[in-house]
Amino acid sequence: MTFQQVSEPSDVYDVLVVGGAGVDTIVPVGALPLPSADSHPVPPIHEWVGHTGTGVALGCAALGLATGFLDFIGDDHPGSLVRERLAGTGVDFRPLVSPHGTRRAVNLVAPDGRRMSFYDGRDPVDLRMSAEHYLPALRRARHVHLSIMHFTRFLYDDIEALGLPVSTDLHDWDGLTDHHREFALRSDVVFLSTAGAGERIGSVMREILHDGRAEVVIATAGAGGAYLLTSDDRTPRLVPAAVPPGPVVDSNGAGDAFACGFLYGRLAGRPLEDCARLGAVAGAYACTSPGTHTTLVGPDDLRAVLADTAAAAATVTAPHGDEPGLPEPPAAQVSRTGA
């Protein structure tokens, strides 16, 4: 494994993403689940740079947050695609080259946007990122987002020693699988979907809060919205889904986009329900174009949500003639990525 220096470091990262780069092969199918057959004719199959870390990094950079991204990729064609996709986006991408290659996934996508993913993680369990690679980046970060790659769990001790807030996305965790548990219990902000735990999602969210260090747990439910739980809540609060700005064609990357919108609001000091609303808007945007991480919400779209929230509150609480205040989005100089 060799270190690839790609650009001068940013003075500060609003968000440092670790792990989760890869390439998706998107296969459009007529319906999910697929009926049993030897073969299915499908429309053209496309390849997109995707996976969770890429989505969070691209989404945060598109929102004007200074974003760093550390990961392993292969010296292979998919790795080249990852580099090309991130170049010029504002993401300061600093990869290590792994002989095991770049992660892949094959995603079946139905006409209503639902998907089924077949994930090839390919990282061996003994893969580790050296402290000399990640510590300088951690020391410049305001917030760290760890993808649930096995190697990223070994950064938690240093993250805690530096006093940094950390988030993670457990995706469709069922609340039982051991791989996810350390991420669930050692993160301050925990995202997951309702798909894995089903009707048990409320108890899983409460377990994360009770047994771990999380301040907030957010479970996304697609068109059903999302659920937010803090230690002040007896039951999860429903956050309604946002209306997409166009037809829903592909839900790949919606959860990553939700996390970006939420973190944008959190870094701006917004209340947690506002953060969840911003996440819902970002997730809805992601569903309106084919492929993974191809439509990214911008800061103006999210500021409009904050303005609407402030205006609605002013009609109830502000004296006549008062102008509700709206904080500026987080100020940061976005770093540029070299080739």
Side-chain angles (χ1 to χ4, degrees), residues 45-90:
I45 296 170
H46 294 287
E47 204 168 45
W48 307 87
V49 173
H51 295 213
T52 184
T54 308
V56 175
L58 286 171
C60 287
L63 288 170
L65 300 172
T67 304
F69 187 15
L70 307 179
D71 200 6
F72 292 93
I73 58 172
D75 184 15
D76 49 22
H77 174 63
S80 297
L81 294 178
V82 173
R83 291 179 183 274
E84 291 168 8
R85 176 66 181 92
L86 292 169
T89 62

Side-chain angles (χ1 to χ4, degrees), residues 28-236:
V29 296
L32 286 174
L34 281 174
S36 178
D38 287 340
S39 64
H40 292 273
V42 297
I45 296 170
H46 294 287
E47 204 168 45
W48 307 87
V49 173
H51 295 213
T52 184
T54 308
V56 175
L58 286 171
C60 287
L63 288 170
L65 300 172
T67 304
F69 187 15
L70 307 179
D71 200 6
F72 292 93
I73 58 172
D75 184 15
D76 49 22
H77 174 63
S80 297
L81 294 178
V82 173
R83 291 179 183 274
E84 291 168 8
R85 176 66 181 92
L86 292 169
T89 62
V91 175
D92 187 16
F93 184 42
R94 296 174 172 273
L96 291 167
V97 174
S98 169
H100 306 285
T102 305
R103 303 175 202 97
R104 302 294 305 269
V106 175
N107 297 338
L108 310 184
V109 180
D112 61 2
R114 292 181 303 118
R115 67 154 190 174
M116 175 178 288
S117 182
F118 300 87
Y119 176 60
D120 170 12
R122 73 178 51 216
D123 293 341
V125 295
D126 61 351
L127 184 68
R128 300 288 185 273
M129 182 172 284
S130 66
E132 69 176 340
H133 186 63
Y134 69 74
L135 272 178
L138 286 182
R139 292 182 178 125
R140 296 193 297 273
R142 294 176 59 199
H143 182 95
V144 181
H145 183 84
L146 293 185
S147 303
I148 56 171
M149 314 292 101
H150 182 68
F151 78 87
T152 67
R153 70 176 68 246
F154 299 99
L155 275 67
Y156 270 114
D157 287 345
D158 287 312
I159 290 170
E160 290 181 10
L162 291 168
L164 295 171
V166 57
S167 56
T168 194
D169 190 339
L170 307 177
H171 304 288
D172 59 349
W173 189 41
D174 58 6
L176 303 172
T177 308
D178 285 339
H179 172 81
H180 301 68
R181 188 169 301 279
E182 183 172 9
F183 295 95
L185 301 185
R186 299 189 71 178
S187 298
D188 302 287
V189 178
V190 177
F191 302 97
L192 74 164
S193 79
T194 61
E199 294 180 356
R200 297 174 43 254
I201 190 63
S203 63
V204 171
M205 296 171 74
R206 284 189 288 273
E207 179 185 349
I208 293 170
L209 278 174
H210 181 267
D211 295 348
R213 59 176 286 172
E215 300 171 14
V216 59
V217 181
I218 308 97
T220 57
Y227 297 91
L228 182 150
L229 187 69
T230 73
S231 58
D232 295 329
D233 300 316
R234 295 184 62 185
T235 59

